Amino acid sequence: MVKIRWLGHSAFEISTQKVVVYVDPFLSNNPTAAIKVDEIKKADYVLVSHDHFDHMGDAVKIAKKTDATLIAVPEVALSIKEKIKTVAPNLGAMVNLENLKVALVPAFHTCSKGSPVGFVFTVDGKTIYHAGDTSLFGDMKLIGEIYKPEVALLPVGGYYTMGPLEASVAVTLINPKIVIPMHYGTFPVIEQTPDKFVEETRKKAPTVQIVILKPGETYELK
């Protein structure tokens, strides 16, 4: 069983009996954060989509605390001065690690170092796509066709990323079985609820299951 726990904003904890993965763990100074760094006892991998503060977040702290391996593009990984373990692939193909397969895929956004990315990763036989911060782009269709993610974690808040309309179109391109919206309700400029995304997605992709989580809630993928 794969447990997908939303921690608020774009932060997720993905866990199985063998591995614990954190993605974009923006916890400190996040008004919607479900947990604090001090509560984290175990992590094997920390994935960082880009170097903006609300995605890099507490990644280094968590990696140091748990001896986890941080995964990011080379420019971000090389900029980290603390002594932590890093894996620094670039965009292009799936990388096989212990209990984790991960591919860095494009995300259309900005950052200071390297390129922003999304992640497609497989744990315990289940494939999940975390889109990172991104606008809508046509090659999401290729991500869906090549990797066939069962779950898509998509930003829906607008202003910095896709909004509800664009994210609903992304669902039709990726064609996951399940979609979980993220990156909303954290800051005043971001849409406060996922309701419009749900409305648009039900019209465009009625067979896709929409899972709405509150920060701290978990969806179990069996």
Side-chain angles (χ1 to χ4, degrees):
M1 179 188 299
V2 178
K3 294 181 179 180
I4 302 172
R5 186 184 184 198
W6 188 38
L7 303 178
H9 203 57
S10 293
F12 282 86
E13 175 194 85
I14 314 293
S15 61
T16 72
Q17 289 185 337
K18 294 181 178 180
V19 66
V20 178
V21 179
Y22 285 89
V23 187
D24 284 354
F26 170 45
L27 304 177
S28 301
N29 301 314
N30 174 1
T32 68
I35 63 172
K36 297 179 180 179
V37 174
D38 290 346
E39 298 175 52
I40 296 175
K41 306 302 181 186
K42 174 180 169 57
D44 298 290
Y45 299 100
V46 182
L47 279 56
V48 177
S49 65
H50 62 296
D51 64 359
H52 286 170
F53 77 95
D54 56 330
H55 294 265
M56 176 67 81
D58 299 286
V60 174
K61 288 182 182 178
I62 294 169
K64 289 180 71 174
K65 182 178 190 290
T66 63
D67 197 35
T69 298
L70 187 144
I71 301 174
V73 294
E75 292 82 358
V76 172
L78 289 170
S79 72
I80 296 169
K81 305 304 181 185
E82 289 85 349
K83 292 183 179 180
I84 62 171
K85 295 182 293 186
T86 61
V87 173
N90 218 314
L91 295 92
M94 193 71 81
V95 176
N96 292 318
L97 303 170
E98 186 176 1
N99 297 318
L100 177 74
K101 295 179 180 179
V102 60
L104 278 59
V105 296
F108 282 75
H109 190 58
T110 61
C111 62
S112 299
K113 301 177 184 70
S115 298
V117 300
F119 295 101
V120 178
F121 55 96
T122 299
V123 289
D124 202 22
K126 302 294 185 180
T127 300
I128 299 166
Y129 171 36
H130 185 295
D133 271 8
T134 191
S135 58
L136 178 66
F137 60 98
D139 282 351
M140 286 179 168
K141 183 176 177 65
L142 288 178
I143 293 171
E145 290 176 351
I146 293 169
Y147 298 111
K148 297 178 173 56
E150 188 165 344
V151 181
L153 313 175
L154 300 182
V156 305
Y159 199 85
Y160 300 114
T161 68
M162 295 186 291
L165 174 62
E166 295 83 4
S168 69
V169 175
V171 174
T172 69
L173 297 176
I174 302 160
N175 195 30
K177 293 180 180 178
I178 299 159
V179 61
I180 301 176
M182 64 176 184
H183 207 279
Y184 65 90
T186 319
F187 308 120
V189 294
I190 296 177
E191 292 276 347
Q192 296 303 305
T193 75
D195 293 351
K196 189 174 180 182
F197 168 73
V198 172
E199 178 186 345
E200 292 290 341
T201 302
R202 283 178 176 163
K203 289 190 293 187
K204 295 180 178 65
T207 63
V208 175
Q209 180 183 353
I210 306 167
V211 175
I212 305 299
L213 297 176
K214 295 178 182 178
E217 289 185 339
T218 298
Y219 178 77
E220 295 183 352
L221 184 60
K222 299 178 181 178

